[in-house]
Amino acid sequence: MTAKIESLDEKDGAATVAGRWAFLALLAGNISLSVGALFVRLADTGPTASAFWRMAIALPFLLALAWRESGGRMPPRNAIVVAGAAGIFFALDLVAWHIGILQTKVANATLFGNCASLLLVIWGIFLARRWPRGWQALAILLAFAGSALLMGQSYELSPAYLVGDLLSLLAGVLYTAYVILMQRVRGTLEPWTALAISSVVCVPILLGTAMGLGETIMPQNWTPLILLALTSQLIGQGLMTWSLPRFSPLVIGLTLLVQPAVAALAGWLAFGELLGPLDIFGGMMVGAALVLIRLPNRRAAPI
């Protein structure tokens, strides 16, 4: 009996450690994704063309990783269809978001692009068929209040950002569909395989859209595009895709709000977009929400 108890304790300890690493991976993926807006602004191609290069540069590496991961075996057909559908939503998300980035502030584009956080919380409530309580409810309140503070002042002072904000909002809706589909398919496919399939679908859609919009396709300076592919697609989406099946929609949604906080800091450092006391306080509120959502007493069925 003692041996069984010790074995269970060891398993619980291992699961706790694995959960901590997975949560760190989820945070790191969001932080890496949040700097992508800077590289889109710095790229000398059109906005949709930069999204195409993000996918195209990363694709050979994703295919190689997927081949190694799967041993060269063909994934199930149903899983390919779901991952491909996720790729369509992701491509449309990138079109809307990359165009929106150039018509609003970095922090605004990232915040509205991450309205997926709210939509995922709503999705989680729908699946669980219950309202969040306790720490979950407080974490949600802090996260969204903090995010509102991060962009509230700048938006009120800059109504010219409206088109960019709306495009970023559309991107967030599309990204929600992408995350839901990828979380579903990760029950069947390993992370690199799922990401490679969705990326393959993205590439022709993005290239065709960029050409249709008459954008500049070929860059003179490859550095921003290479960094965009590395930070956003390989590291950011790679860590996100690996983490998806390990967390509830509530946790995934709230961690998405790391992106506007980091983007606000990056916009201040790179473009001089001023951070005031309310912006800083808003970022602290988002951080507090992430601490609350990971407290040990979260044993109630997660949303």
Side-chain angles (χ1 to χ4, degrees):
M1 179 65 71
T2 302
K4 288 183 179 179
I5 292 174
E6 290 178 351
S7 176
L8 289 173
D9 288 342
E10 289 176 359
K11 289 181 179 179
D12 288 342
T16 300
V17 172
R20 288 173 181 170
W21 280 110
F23 189 65
L24 288 175
L26 187 62
L27 286 177
N30 277 285
I31 291 171
S32 186
L33 285 167
S34 66
V35 301
L38 297 177
F39 299 127
V40 173
R41 281 194 172 191
L42 294 172
D44 57 7
T45 64
T48 308
S50 67
F52 159 72
W53 286 115
R54 161 184 169 167
M55 309 300 294
I57 293 171
L59 187 57
F61 300 97
L62 294 176
L63 290 173
L65 290 167
W67 180 271
R68 180 180 178 182
E69 183 179 67
S70 65
R73 295 185 297 274
M74 180 65 68
R77 181 177 300 178
N78 289 343
I80 293 176
V81 170
V82 175
I88 294 173
F89 280 106
F90 192 39
L92 297 176
D93 156 57
L94 289 175
V95 170
W97 192 57
H98 279 223
I99 295 174
I101 286 170
L102 300 183
Q103 300 188 48
T104 188
K105 293 178 64 173
V106 170
N108 284 19
T110 307
L111 177 66
F112 283 109
N114 281 282
C115 71
S117 56
L118 174 60
L119 297 176
L120 283 170
V121 169
I122 294 172
W123 175 249
I125 293 172
F126 172 78
L127 290 179
R129 289 179 169 80
R130 68 179 184 84
W131 290 100
R133 292 175 294 179
W135 293 124
Q136 290 180 343
L138 181 57
I140 292 171
L141 178 62
L142 283 174
F144 289 110
S147 298
L149 289 178
L150 278 170
M151 56 69 61
Q153 298 181 94
S154 62
Y155 180 71
E156 289 176 4
L157 296 175
S158 304
Y161 296 152
L162 179 61
V163 172
D165 289 345
L166 290 176
L167 285 171
S168 299
L169 185 64
L170 173 61
V173 175
L174 295 167
Y175 190 69
T176 303
Y178 165 74
V179 170
I180 291 172
L181 289 173
M182 287 295 279
Q183 190 172 34
R184 174 183 172 186
V185 82
R186 280 286 285 111
T188 305
L189 298 180
E190 294 296 320
W192 294 117
T193 303
L195 189 55
I197 293 172
S198 65
S199 299
V200 166
V201 173
C202 281
V203 168
I205 296 175
L206 293 170
L207 179 59
T209 303
M211 294 176 66
L213 293 174
E215 294 183 4
T216 300
I217 306 294
M218 294 303 299
Q220 299 296 318
N221 180 10
W222 285 93
T223 301
L225 297 174
I226 293 172
L227 292 174
L228 177 64
L230 176 64
T231 59
S232 292
Q233 197 61 21
L234 286 172
I235 298 176
Q237 283 297 327
L239 290 173
M240 281 282 293
T241 303
W242 179 78
S243 303
L244 284 178
R246 292 167 169 82
F247 297 102
S248 68
L250 172 63
V251 175
I252 294 170
L254 293 188
T255 53
L256 287 179
L257 293 174
V258 169
Q259 294 188 36
V262 175
L265 178 61
W268 171 57
L269 294 174
F271 300 112
E273 295 178 352
L274 185 62
L275 285 179
L278 287 179
D279 298 305
I280 296 171
F281 184 61
M284 293 172 64
M285 292 175 69
V286 172
L290 296 177
V291 172
L292 286 176
I293 205 62
R294 297 297 295 166
L295 284 177
N297 65 350
R298 64 191 186 285
R299 294 189 179 276
I303 291 179

